[in-house]
Amino acid sequence: MTRTNVLRVVWIMVVAALLGGAYAIVVRNGPSGSMSTSSVPIH
Amino acid sequence: MPSTDRLHHAARRSLASVVLAAVAITVNHLYSLGPKALLLGAVLVVLPTALLIWFRQTRNRVALAAYAAMNVWIVVGFGFYKGVWAGIMRLFMGTALASLSTSFPKPAVGRYGFEASGILMAVAAVFVAYYAIELIRAALASPTISDADARDAPRSARWTSYAGVGGALAAAAMIAAWVVADRDTFVPPVNGVVTIGVIAPVTGPYAILGNSFVKAVQIARDDATGTKYRYELRIEDSGPDPSLAAAHVRKVVQDDKVDAVIGAVSLIGQVTKPFATKARIPHLCVCTVAPIGDGAYNFTNIPSPEAEAVHWVAEARRRGIQTIGIVQQDYPSINNHVNAMKAEAARRGLRVVYDNRFSDTVTDFRATVAAAAALRADVYYVEGLAPQLDVLAQQLAEAGVRNIASVVAPSLSEKPWLFEGAWYTDSDLSDMAFKRRFEAKYPGTQFATHMMPYAYDSFNMIVQAYEQGVNPAVYVRNVRRYEGVAGTVTKKPGSGNFESAPTVWTISNGQPTLLRDAPASLQAKRIDR
């Protein structure tokens, strides 16, 4: 494998890890969804 | 490769990377700017393209410099600052640090599309930077560029190593900078004065709740004597309309730079939340919408509708109640209470035999009351807001319907004697002296139990943080159990929602009275079959 291809593979792995990690964090800590008007309490 | 070909090749690649970055930037900004992001995307595509065409046709260095400036904007502004610092670092470093120590706030996490496009923005910016450098080198190269390439070849490996080491050092510096910047540390108040913002609607439909709330905080402030620091309140009427509340919140948080905020009512709490997060100050919201409490800077502190429902149904069962008739105003908070009560009642085997939801224009309830009474439910769940609540109570009394129960509502009634004998769940008051002191101090203000003890306790949490020399947001994050005038409130690690149990009240001699303090005849009342 050429040096360029190694760099490409590393790049793809880094980006995939970032996107996958972000997905895991969003699933765990992400927004719980905006409230619908019908469920907005006053207090 | 001839230098002209190399220039065109570099230009094509540079422009392609700019377009790809513009796509990621546009998608990312759709979440914050909405359709206006498309305009931003158009600028990021059209302007560099035009500049590059100008440069291609004229070889004008101004065109090249302007194109380079656009690239710097994309790389530094969108790629590094928004993509890496505010995106990747916030998401990954922020989450990791918050899991290790409560000195670090849990980062606000957006939808996946937003977060993923932020990452792609950073990745695309790397390509933009790389190909922009290639283009500039090609543009500045001599006609014997091919020879120069040949001479550069052995240097390229060395430069790659330098770039690798430099990149690692930059990454380490950035991580260190993030750790320092992200940590919430205690800062002693200027001149020993802690200013606490009190943001509540004290006019309109919230007048009773809001005024009670503000005065509860004022009592807490007056009670805070012998303290190391002086505590001042910055009271602001947010008004009842959340769309107009942002200006009030901005005035308190951004202009007056308060050290903490105690807020009332979920609709206003939702407006306050992003301001508190940005200012990195604790916002204790006496409100029920759980998502407001993010556990970083925003916390809710009041019994949830579900907690009210559990206690309401438990009391109903204790009284032998099996059937429920519901007459309720169609209003968000009331709907929440009723929905939670219905779910809990169904779970515990109680039946709803009558269910009427009236709008805020109804003033004659006699037909509704007659229909409800005909079904002979064991109890009638009644909830509404003044003034309709009192009209309904009056017409129920006239029809002889006395077996009434509710959640909170009778404590907000301007004519509580109309609910004589009714029972309802509401916030606990472990210290009734608090109510007596309030009534002595503010004889003209109705004591609306629901939010007051939590307002009082929330103020004292902030005071305790400063007196102990702890950053107030970190202090509140660390609270697991708090004993105050609202009784015991607890919070799970990492949660932004304090949990507490309401208790059962009744109207005795025209006054809200804790059921445990009420005459035995009211306490032991059971359904006669």
Side-chain angles (χ1 to χ4, degrees):
Chain A
M1 192 182 275
T2 64
R3 183 186 170 82
T4 309
N5 282 342
V6 170
L7 279 174
R8 279 181 184 151
V9 170
V10 169
W11 252 115
I12 289 167
M13 285 173 66
V14 167
V15 174
L18 286 171
L19 293 174
Y23 182 76
I25 291 171
V26 169
V27 167
R28 192 180 154 93
N29 301 332
S32 51
S34 58
M35 287 173 303
S36 65
T37 312
S38 63
S39 67
V40 179
I42 60 161
H43 45 67
Chain B
M1 190 186 292
S3 61
T4 307
D5 287 352
R6 185 187 169 197
L7 184 60
H8 290 324
H9 184 71
R12 278 194 296 273
R13 291 197 163 198
S14 173
L15 191 59
S17 65
V18 165
V19 171
L20 287 175
V23 171
I25 291 166
T26 305
V27 172
N28 185 262
H29 286 74
L30 278 171
Y31 291 89
S32 52
L33 300 178
K36 286 180 190 163
L38 298 173
L39 193 66
L40 173 67
V43 168
L44 290 172
V45 171
V46 172
L47 216 54
T49 306
L51 288 167
L52 215 48
I53 291 170
W54 179 20
F55 176 69
R56 180 193 171 105
Q57 290 175 348
T58 64
R59 291 293 191 273
N60 188 319
R61 290 191 174 226
V62 173
L64 184 65
Y67 180 79
M70 288 290 296
N71 278 251
V72 169
W73 180 32
I74 290 170
V75 171
V76 177
F78 295 108
F80 179 75
Y81 179 68
K82 285 198 165 179
V84 177
W85 183 258
I88 293 172
M89 294 298 285
R90 169 186 52 80
L91 195 60
F92 291 94
M93 281 297 292
T95 302
L97 290 171
S99 70
L100 295 173
S101 166
T102 53
S103 293
F104 298 95
K106 279 195 298 186
V109 177
R111 294 174 186 280
Y112 184 64
F114 172 77
E115 301 297 353
S117 60
I119 291 167
L120 294 175
M121 212 158 68
V123 172
V126 174
F127 288 94
V128 171
Y130 178 80
Y131 288 118
I133 291 168
E134 287 286 296
L135 173 65
I136 290 167
R137 285 179 63 189
L140 300 178
S142 67
T144 55
I145 191 71
S146 301
D147 298 338
D149 267 352
R151 282 198 302 275
D152 283 350
R155 243 173 51 188
S156 133
R158 204 167 63 235
W159 280 110
T160 306
S161 305
Y162 289 157
V165 172
L169 285 174
M174 196 161 55
I175 288 170
W178 181 271
V179 172
V180 171
D182 194 37
R183 187 156 190 248
D184 284 314
T185 53
F186 178 70
V187 179
V190 179
N191 299 325
V193 178
V194 178
T195 309
I196 298 174
V198 183
I199 303 174
V202 297
T203 50
Y206 310 107
I208 293 175
L209 278 171
N211 279 301
S212 292
F213 175 88
V214 169
K215 288 185 168 53
V217 181
Q218 285 175 320
I219 288 183
R221 192 270 316 272
D222 294 346
D223 287 352
T225 54
T227 51
K228 195 190 304 179
Y229 300 113
R230 199 167 83 242
Y231 296 89
E232 291 185 353
L233 302 180
R234 167 70 176 83
I235 298 167
E236 180 76 12
D237 176 10
S238 63
D241 185 348
S243 65
L244 302 177
H248 296 282
V249 176
R250 187 177 293 113
K251 213 158 48 172
V252 174
V253 177
Q254 290 185 350
D255 299 348
D256 295 343
K257 299 192 187 311
V258 296
D259 299 297
V261 170
I262 301 172
V265 180
S266 295
L267 287 175
I268 308 304
Q270 290 173 82
V271 177
T272 307
K273 179 178 176 176
F275 286 93
T277 301
K278 191 175 176 195
R280 300 179 65 163
I281 58 171
H283 163 219
L284 282 91
C285 186
V286 182
C287 55
T288 54
V289 171
I292 290 175
D294 55 17
Y297 297 102
N298 300 277
F299 303 87
T300 63
N301 189 12
I302 202 165
S304 63
E306 290 73 23
E308 300 275 7
V310 166
H311 281 74
W312 193 95
V313 171
E315 176 65 13
R317 282 168 55 87
R318 189 186 73 79
R319 290 168 179 258
I321 287 166
Q322 293 176 358
T323 55
I324 307 164
I326 299 171
V327 183
Q328 62 143 123
Q329 187 168 340
D330 184 8
Y331 199 84
S333 65
I334 296 171
N335 297 345
N336 269 6
H337 283 155
V338 173
N339 291 340
M341 182 275 285
K342 280 179 177 174
E344 178 66 10
R347 201 173 69 81
R348 303 295 300 270
L350 276 63
R351 283 188 302 121
V352 174
V353 294
Y354 183 78
D355 193 353
N356 178 278
R357 186 178 286 194
F358 59 87
S359 73
D360 57 8
T361 54
V362 177
T363 52
D364 186 350
F365 298 96
R366 282 173 295 190
T368 302
V369 168
L375 290 167
R376 296 187 171 278
D378 291 340
V379 72
Y380 289 94
Y381 180 104
V382 174
E383 192 172 359
L385 297 172
Q388 285 164 296
L389 174 67
D390 296 335
V391 174
L392 173 59
Q394 179 73 52
Q395 293 178 3
L396 282 163
E398 287 167 3
V401 178
R402 292 283 179 191
N403 48 336
I404 293 171
S406 186
V407 170
V408 178
S411 84
L412 303 179
S413 168
E414 291 168 357
K415 299 173 183 173
W417 57 88
L418 291 173
F419 290 91
E420 186 68 24
W423 60 270
Y424 60 100
T425 59
D426 201 349
S427 302
D428 200 355
L429 262 187
S430 67
D431 179 12
M432 283 303 284
F434 174 59
K435 182 173 188 253
R436 287 192 289 274
R437 280 195 299 129
F438 180 98
E439 288 169 341
K441 194 159 189 169
Y442 302 107
T445 304
Q446 185 173 344
F447 185 91
T449 311
H450 192 41
M451 301 200 301
M452 305 236 292
Y454 298 98
Y456 186 93
D457 291 347
S458 296
F459 176 89
N460 282 319
M461 282 189 207
I462 303 296
V463 170
Q464 288 182 14
Y466 275 96
E467 295 300 302
Q468 293 177 26
V470 180
N471 177 288
V474 176
Y475 181 89
V476 180
R477 280 176 214 149
N478 285 330
V479 172
R480 298 283 172 272
R481 184 184 175 89
Y482 185 88
E483 301 285 348
V485 295
T488 304
V489 298
T490 58
K491 186 167 71 63
K492 294 188 180 83
S495 170
N497 307 120
F498 284 99
E499 294 172 13
S500 50
T503 193
V504 182
W505 292 71
T506 186
I507 301 295
S508 174
N509 296 322
Q511 289 296 318
T513 308
L514 281 167
L515 190 68
R516 58 179 179 255
D517 298 336
S521 60
L522 286 175
Q523 288 186 39
K525 210 166 186 175
R526 286 181 64 83
I527 295 295
D528 298 323
R529 294 186 186 284

PDB file of all heavy atoms in Angstrom, chain A residues 4 8 13 17 22-23 28:
ATOM      1  N   THR A   4       0.304   7.313   0.239  1.00  0.00           N
ATOM      2  CA  THR A   4      -0.931   8.086   0.031  1.00  0.00           C
ATOM      3  C   THR A   4      -2.157   7.287   0.449  1.00  0.00           C
ATOM      4  O   THR A   4      -3.067   7.806   1.114  1.00  0.00           O
ATOM      5  CB  THR A   4      -1.050   8.475  -1.457  1.00  0.00           C
ATOM      6  OG1 THR A   4       0.171   9.088  -1.852  1.00  0.00           O
ATOM      7  CG2 THR A   4      -2.210   9.419  -1.684  1.00  0.00           C
ATOM      8  N   ARG A   8      -4.934   7.968   3.302  1.00  0.00           N
ATOM      9  CA  ARG A   8      -6.377   7.972   3.009  1.00  0.00           C
ATOM     10  C   ARG A   8      -7.140   7.095   4.000  1.00  0.00           C
ATOM     11  O   ARG A   8      -8.191   7.483   4.522  1.00  0.00           O
ATOM     12  CB  ARG A   8      -6.632   7.479   1.589  1.00  0.00           C
ATOM     13  CG  ARG A   8      -6.413   8.580   0.562  1.00  0.00           C
ATOM     14  CD  ARG A   8      -6.689   8.085  -0.829  1.00  0.00           C
ATOM     15  NE  ARG A   8      -6.377   9.115  -1.804  1.00  0.00           N
ATOM     16  CZ  ARG A   8      -5.980   8.886  -3.041  1.00  0.00           C
ATOM     17  NH1 ARG A   8      -5.837   7.632  -3.459  1.00  0.00           N
ATOM     18  NH2 ARG A   8      -5.736   9.867  -3.864  1.00  0.00           N
ATOM     19  N   MET A  13     -10.647   6.501   8.639  1.00  0.00           N
ATOM     20  CA  MET A  13     -10.904   5.924   9.971  1.00  0.00           C
ATOM     21  C   MET A  13     -11.128   7.015  11.012  1.00  0.00           C
ATOM     22  O   MET A  13     -12.001   6.898  11.875  1.00  0.00           O
ATOM     23  CB  MET A  13      -9.731   5.023  10.377  1.00  0.00           C
ATOM     24  CG  MET A  13      -9.729   3.699   9.634  1.00  0.00           C
ATOM     25  SD  MET A  13      -8.254   2.729   9.947  1.00  0.00           S
ATOM     26  CE  MET A  13      -8.441   2.345  11.659  1.00  0.00           C
ATOM     27  N   ALA A  17     -14.560   7.504  12.955  1.00  0.00           N
ATOM     28  CA  ALA A  17     -14.571   7.444  14.424  1.00  0.00           C
ATOM     29  C   ALA A  17     -15.235   8.685  15.006  1.00  0.00           C
ATOM     30  O   ALA A  17     -16.027   8.600  15.964  1.00  0.00           O
ATOM     31  CB  ALA A  17     -13.139   7.314  14.953  1.00  0.00           C
ATOM     32  N   ALA A  22     -19.718  10.804  17.692  1.00  0.00           N
ATOM     33  CA  ALA A  22     -20.744  11.851  17.824  1.00  0.00           C
ATOM     34  C   ALA A  22     -22.134  11.222  17.902  1.00  0.00           C
ATOM     35  O   ALA A  22     -22.972  11.652  18.696  1.00  0.00           O
ATOM     36  CB  ALA A  22     -20.667  12.817  16.642  1.00  0.00           C
ATOM     37  N   TYR A  23     -22.352  10.197  17.090  1.00  0.00           N
ATOM     38  CA  TYR A  23     -23.658   9.524  17.115  1.00  0.00           C
ATOM     39  C   TYR A  23     -23.935   8.937  18.510  1.00  0.00           C
ATOM     40  O   TYR A  23     -25.023   9.097  19.066  1.00  0.00           O
ATOM     41  CB  TYR A  23     -23.703   8.435  16.053  1.00  0.00           C
ATOM     42  CG  TYR A  23     -25.044   7.730  15.993  1.00  0.00           C
ATOM     43  CD1 TYR A  23     -26.129   8.355  15.399  1.00  0.00           C
ATOM     44  CD2 TYR A  23     -25.213   6.468  16.560  1.00  0.00           C
ATOM     45  CE1 TYR A  23     -27.368   7.734  15.362  1.00  0.00           C
ATOM     46  CE2 TYR A  23     -26.443   5.835  16.528  1.00  0.00           C
ATOM     47  CZ  TYR A  23     -27.525   6.471  15.926  1.00  0.00           C
ATOM     48  OH  TYR A  23     -28.749   5.863  15.906  1.00  0.00           O
ATOM     49  N   ARG A  28     -26.925   9.327  23.581  1.00  0.00           N
ATOM     50  CA  ARG A  28     -26.889   9.262  25.048  1.00  0.00           C
ATOM     51  C   ARG A  28     -27.277  10.595  25.698  1.00  0.00           C
ATOM     52  O   ARG A  28     -28.056  10.623  26.654  1.00  0.00           O
ATOM     53  CB  ARG A  28     -25.475   8.875  25.472  1.00  0.00           C
ATOM     54  CG  ARG A  28     -25.319   8.478  26.906  1.00  0.00           C
ATOM     55  CD  ARG A  28     -23.864   8.135  27.152  1.00  0.00           C
ATOM     56  NE  ARG A  28     -23.511   8.338  28.535  1.00  0.00           N
ATOM     57  CZ  ARG A  28     -23.559   7.403  29.445  1.00  0.00           C
ATOM     58  NH1 ARG A  28     -23.913   6.190  29.115  1.00  0.00           N
ATOM     59  NH2 ARG A  28     -23.226   7.663  30.701  1.00  0.00           N
TER      60      ARG A  28
END
